[in-house]
Amino acid sequence: MSAAVIDVRSAEDVRDVVHRTVQALAEGQLVAFPTETVYGVAASALDADAVKRLAEVKGRAADHPMALAVKSADEAFDYVPDISPLGRRLARRCWPGPVTLVLGNNHPDSLIQRLPSQVHEFIIPRGTLGLRVPAHPLILDVLQLMAGPLALTSANLTGEPDAVSAEDVIQSLGDRIDLILDDGRSQFAQSSSVILVHDRQVNMLREGVVSEAAIKRLARFLVLMVCTGNTCRSPMAELLMRRRLANHLGCQIDQLDEQGVQVMSAGIAAMPGGRPSIEAVNVMLERELDLSPHLSQPLSAHLVGHADLILTMTQSHRDLVVNQLPEAENRVRLLRADQGDISDPIGGSIDVYRQCADQIDAQIEIQIQQMNLESLIGEFRSQ
């Protein structure tokens, strides 16, 4: 019997499609979903019979695992509680999105233990777990209402081209699955990139939508310095942090990116494109650092979401960041180790700026001494 097909684009209320899909999955049916990459076919990972049927329909080798689709990075961390800082960084930056992270699965508190044991042979046959948070609203809405994750694989027979439309799914699997959700051609019409993350190491297993070069950028450890206007304190801190990190890593400042480290700055109330104060530029020139090309930028949710360590000049800066984005609290701290404020030198003399720069530089050294840089910086290896 052919699969039922729902044209999502013409649905009067997409919520009805979501509820019907959740019910189908709960009943053990196989559902083909549009994603931002290619079409995928899914089963409830709580239903061992459905997952086994999915493997049979797919014609997938026993040692070729399916991915688990979860609703968010936070839920993913429950499946890999001991995920490394690098793994958390990539999850935070890549999800929702066209990246599958392959992670170690050896933690006794992993939620994988709550899935039926028969499902394990299809999800973790090699001792690693592939996790994905697709960036398509339909599957994300379904995941929000599911009691557990989805076993997800591409909606084509093994060895055949990827399905990038509902018509492709019908041709390949139409008489083998139960429901197909048609949302037109996939956005990227290309597979997800598959990345193996083990401690500090990143291995590209399959280059898909996200290139190897982009993954290298996304894997960088990012320090974000924050003040008010991003014209004096945080820009000076940005340059001083770069120099200190370069010294600790034994490289030139312009080689930090190659070392897997990035430093940026932003302001809570900054105007985009503002020039640094002349006093800040001159004080940095005295230290053989060029601040003149700097353009101010406002602090954004995107920057906060990507940053691994956010150092604020004052307690009020920290409070503003945490109040607006509570999920970043563990990554935001005061630059001063004694929890005091770095006073704003704006309007002060050149000596005031020198004292501010000295204070910032000393506190940056303390912060770096407290870091374990080796554990934070990723090492990229092609596979």
Side-chain angles (χ1 to χ4, degrees):
M1 186 173 67
S2 297
V5 180
I6 299 177
D7 189 336
V8 179
R9 297 162 296 179
S10 62
E12 291 185 6
D13 191 339
V14 175
R15 290 175 297 181
D16 292 337
V17 177
V18 170
H19 286 288
R20 178 174 172 181
T21 303
V22 170
Q23 181 178 352
L25 290 162
E27 293 173 354
Q29 295 183 33
L30 304 185
V31 178
F33 283 93
T35 76
E36 78 281 21
T37 54
V38 297
Y39 273 69
V41 60
S44 168
L46 299 177
D47 189 326
D49 290 337
V51 174
K52 181 180 179 181
R53 180 182 162 214
L54 177 56
E56 292 170 349
V57 163
K58 175 74 175 175
R60 203 174 186 112
D63 65 343
H64 193 176
M66 302 177 197
L68 274 189
V70 294
K71 61 176 68 77
S72 66
D74 286 340
E75 184 182 32
F77 300 153
D78 291 333
Y79 285 89
V80 191
D82 56 351
I83 187 171
S84 67
L86 177 58
R88 285 183 178 271
R89 182 182 313 152
L90 288 170
R92 194 173 65 246
R93 296 176 182 176
C94 295
W95 289 340
V99 171
T100 299
L101 294 182
V102 179
L103 305 157
N105 179 60
N106 53 14
H107 198 284
D109 296 330
S110 169
L111 282 187
I112 202 76
Q113 306 303 327
R114 299 187 185 181
L115 301 182
S117 58
Q118 303 95 316
V119 171
H120 292 187
E121 65 181 284
F122 302 107
I123 303 297
I124 51 171
R126 301 174 182 175
T128 55
L129 175 64
L131 290 167
R132 173 138 180 238
V133 183
H136 192 286
L138 188 60
I139 193 169
L140 286 175
D141 287 347
V142 168
L143 282 164
Q144 290 294 331
L145 297 179
M146 294 290 296
L150 297 175
L152 181 67
T153 182
S154 56
N156 60 304
L157 292 173
T158 297
E160 290 188 352
D162 289 327
V164 299
S165 67
E167 290 75 17
D168 291 342
V169 180
I170 293 168
Q171 183 174 352
S172 183
L173 300 176
D175 59 347
R176 304 184 183 201
I177 61 178
D178 305 295
L179 179 61
I180 299 172
L181 305 177
D182 182 0
D183 194 31
R185 184 177 173 84
S186 299
Q187 178 184 354
F188 296 116
Q190 186 180 0
S191 297
S192 68
S193 297
V194 181
I195 313 299
L196 173 65
V197 182
H198 179 68
D199 294 332
R200 294 177 53 238
Q201 294 181 8
V202 182
N203 296 68
M204 174 74 81
L205 301 183
R206 181 183 73 197
E207 187 167 7
V209 173
V210 184
S211 68
E212 182 174 308
I215 292 296
K216 286 182 179 180
R217 290 194 298 271
L218 290 165
R220 290 175 186 154
F221 178 72
L222 172 58
V223 182
L224 180 64
M225 318 301 289
V226 175
C227 69
T228 303
N230 193 218
T231 58
C232 47
R233 282 175 294 178
S234 61
M236 290 194 298
E238 178 183 346
L239 293 192
L240 294 168
M241 175 64 82
R242 287 179 182 168
R243 171 179 280 176
R244 289 282 181 181
L245 287 171
N247 289 341
H248 278 265
L249 293 170
C251 69
Q252 299 298 313
I253 293 176
D254 60 4
Q255 296 174 326
L256 280 175
D257 281 356
E258 299 171 21
Q259 296 291 323
V261 180
Q262 188 175 12
V263 185
M264 299 179 69
S265 65
I268 294 289
M271 296 293 291
R275 309 299 304 190
S277 69
I278 188 64
E279 294 86 357
V281 172
N282 289 335
V283 166
M284 289 296 99
L285 281 176
E286 293 173 356
R287 297 165 184 257
E288 299 182 344
L289 296 170
D290 187 5
L291 186 58
S292 59
H294 173 78
L295 297 176
S296 63
Q297 64 173 335
L299 187 68
S300 65
H302 178 78
L303 274 175
V304 172
H306 274 56
D308 299 287
L309 175 61
I310 303 167
L311 295 172
T312 67
M313 299 299 116
T314 70
Q315 182 65 50
S316 63
H317 294 144
R318 184 186 186 280
D319 291 345
L320 281 167
V321 175
V322 173
N323 287 340
Q324 292 180 18
L325 292 162
E327 63 272 20
E329 182 172 12
N330 292 335
R331 294 180 279 117
V332 188
R333 61 177 183 243
L334 288 169
L335 174 59
R336 279 183 57 170
D338 63 2
Q339 305 304 296
D341 290 348
I342 303 287
S343 298
D344 193 347
I346 195 74
S349 67
I350 190 73
D351 284 335
V352 171
Y353 274 83
R354 290 187 183 113
Q355 293 167 12
C356 180
D358 287 340
Q359 186 180 32
I360 289 172
D361 200 24
Q363 293 302 315
I364 285 173
E365 178 60 23
I366 294 172
Q367 291 288 345
I368 292 177
Q369 292 290 349
Q370 294 175 349
M371 295 180 198
N372 183 354
L373 280 175
E374 288 71 21
S375 69
L376 296 171
I377 299 173
E379 178 182 345
F380 196 96
R381 295 183 179 180
S382 297
Q383 181 118 332

